[in-house]
Amino acid sequence: MAFPLTRRGVLGAALAMPALAARADTWPSGPIRIVVPFAPGGSTDAVARLAAPGLQQRLGVPIIVENRSGAAGSIGSDMVAKAKPDGQTWLLTFDSHAVMPVLVPNLPFDLVADFIPVTQIGRAPYVIACQPSKPYKDLADVFATARQKGSVTFGSTGNGTIGHLAMLMLAKRGGAEVTHLPYRGGGLAVNDAVAGHIDMMIGSSALLAPQVSANTLRPLMQLGATRLAGLPAVPTAVESGFDGLTAEAWWGVFAPAKTPAPVVARFHEALVGAYREARIAQQFAEVNQAELVLSDGPALGRFVQSQVETWGKTARENNVKPD
């Protein structure tokens, strides 16, 4: 049912539009904070810092990357959800964003109502890797050892991340027991994997690429739809007999709800421009073994909803509980 505009309503709308425009014209008014809800050293932190110089150049203000880790990313995300919607605070987060409703009891924010999707920056397949001195040549070797010993350990970038859930699916279909060791950030998991303290780890190709290139980690399987150009000899899960199983990490940017649309549009434009710089795009693709997406906000919103449905179901089916 449509309601007629009252004189007060017309006046309010007329006053609000210039106010929004004025806020966009004066934005940014100071340093911009990009909150990464994970510890330094992981792929999300690296993706955020990759764009910071280009953003600073385009927007003319300092760009501060702030790490606020904990509770599957919900601590930093909640900070952004409750931040003043003036365009000075943004969230750059990881795939676990879509699983938080399952993982975090009494989540203090709503994924839809409290955020405006800005862009999906990119995606990268998950890769399973181990220290080269380990006796495993592929995932079949790992699962054979698990069946013999009763279990093997694997690290991930956190409880309930897509990497964690994908490994549970692989182990279930492979008839093996695996013991999950969740880390508060990718850098910590990588350190223990390189040191041989865990049997293997699963992380995005962006996270593991430097160690694979340096031969301090041996890739056993990749979970993209096709083989990465940088890992031509490493089979995918589908090629290894796990039909239909793919898992890709992704990174997305969100604004607090009620951030003015013109401000969101300007930030999106600056962000896309920063990542499309030739040097940055090349590093994202070649060094990080990741693919730029740079979608619009509505596309990110639809994508997150599909991720909530897919991986939320997996978390429930595997009885994944909060840390």
Side-chain angles (χ1 to χ4, degrees):
M1 179 178 179
F3 293 91
L5 281 174
T6 64
R7 181 178 179 182
R8 178 179 296 177
V10 172
L11 180 61
L15 291 174
M17 289 177 65
L20 286 176
R23 271 189 281 175
D25 288 343
T26 58
W27 178 87
S29 59
I32 288 176
R33 180 173 59 161
I34 298 177
V35 176
V36 172
F38 303 100
S43 66
T44 311
D45 180 63
V47 167
R49 296 182 190 280
L50 193 62
L55 276 175
Q56 184 163 311
Q57 181 182 16
R58 284 166 174 78
L59 297 175
V61 295
I63 304 296
I64 300 169
V65 177
E66 182 173 335
N67 300 90
R68 288 297 182 98
S69 63
S74 65
I75 291 175
S77 299
D78 186 49
M79 176 189 301
V80 176
K82 292 178 170 56
K84 187 177 180 180
D86 56 5
Q88 301 302 128
T89 303
W90 306 80
L91 175 70
L92 196 158
T93 192
F94 194 50
D95 56 41
S96 59
H97 186 77
V99 196
M100 282 192 293
V102 175
L103 292 179
V104 183
N106 304 313
L107 193 67
F109 54 84
D110 186 281
L111 290 187
V112 176
D114 292 332
F115 295 100
I116 297 172
V118 179
T119 186
Q120 181 186 348
I121 297 169
R123 60 191 173 207
Y126 272 95
V127 174
I128 300 167
C130 68
Q131 186 193 58
S133 65
K134 298 288 184 183
Y136 317 124
K137 302 302 181 185
D138 53 31
L139 196 63
D141 287 345
V142 176
F143 286 169
T145 299
R147 288 189 289 269
Q148 180 183 8
K149 293 185 175 180
S151 181
V152 291
T153 59
F154 79 96
S156 80
T157 57
N159 193 50
T161 57
I162 291 176
H164 171 208
L165 299 176
M167 182 61 80
L168 294 182
M169 293 174 69
L170 286 165
K172 187 174 183 179
R173 290 172 61 172
E177 291 291 329
V178 291
T179 300
H180 180 222
L181 301 174
Y183 289 79
R184 294 179 69 88
L188 299 173
V190 167
N191 289 343
D192 272 6
V194 169
H197 298 322
I198 52 180
D199 289 304
M200 58 182 169
M201 75 163 291
I202 184 167
S204 72
S205 56
L207 174 64
L208 300 184
Q211 287 72 34
V212 170
S213 297
N215 294 318
T216 55
L217 285 178
R218 176 196 297 140
L220 304 173
M221 177 184 284
Q222 52 186 311
L223 283 83
T226 58
R227 295 190 186 191
L228 283 169
L231 297 174
V234 181
T236 67
V238 173
E239 290 172 332
S240 302
F242 298 93
D243 292 344
L245 205 163
T246 60
E248 293 183 320
W250 57 270
W251 302 271
V253 176
F254 300 82
K258 299 182 181 179
T259 301
V263 170
V264 173
R266 282 190 60 196
F267 189 73
H268 177 273
E269 180 183 17
L271 195 63
V272 168
Y275 281 111
R276 281 185 176 158
E277 288 182 17
R279 180 181 61 83
I280 301 302
Q282 182 179 14
Q283 182 172 343
F284 201 86
E286 296 180 3
V287 178
N288 294 331
Q289 291 293 310
E291 178 187 357
L292 282 172
V293 176
L294 302 175
S295 68
D296 60 22
L300 173 59
R302 293 189 296 270
F303 174 74
V304 170
Q305 184 57 43
S306 71
Q307 292 287 288
V308 169
E309 294 169 1
T310 299
W311 295 107
K313 178 182 178 183
T314 303
R316 289 189 293 270
E317 288 177 347
N318 287 275
N319 198 32
V320 175
K321 299 295 184 183
D323 288 329

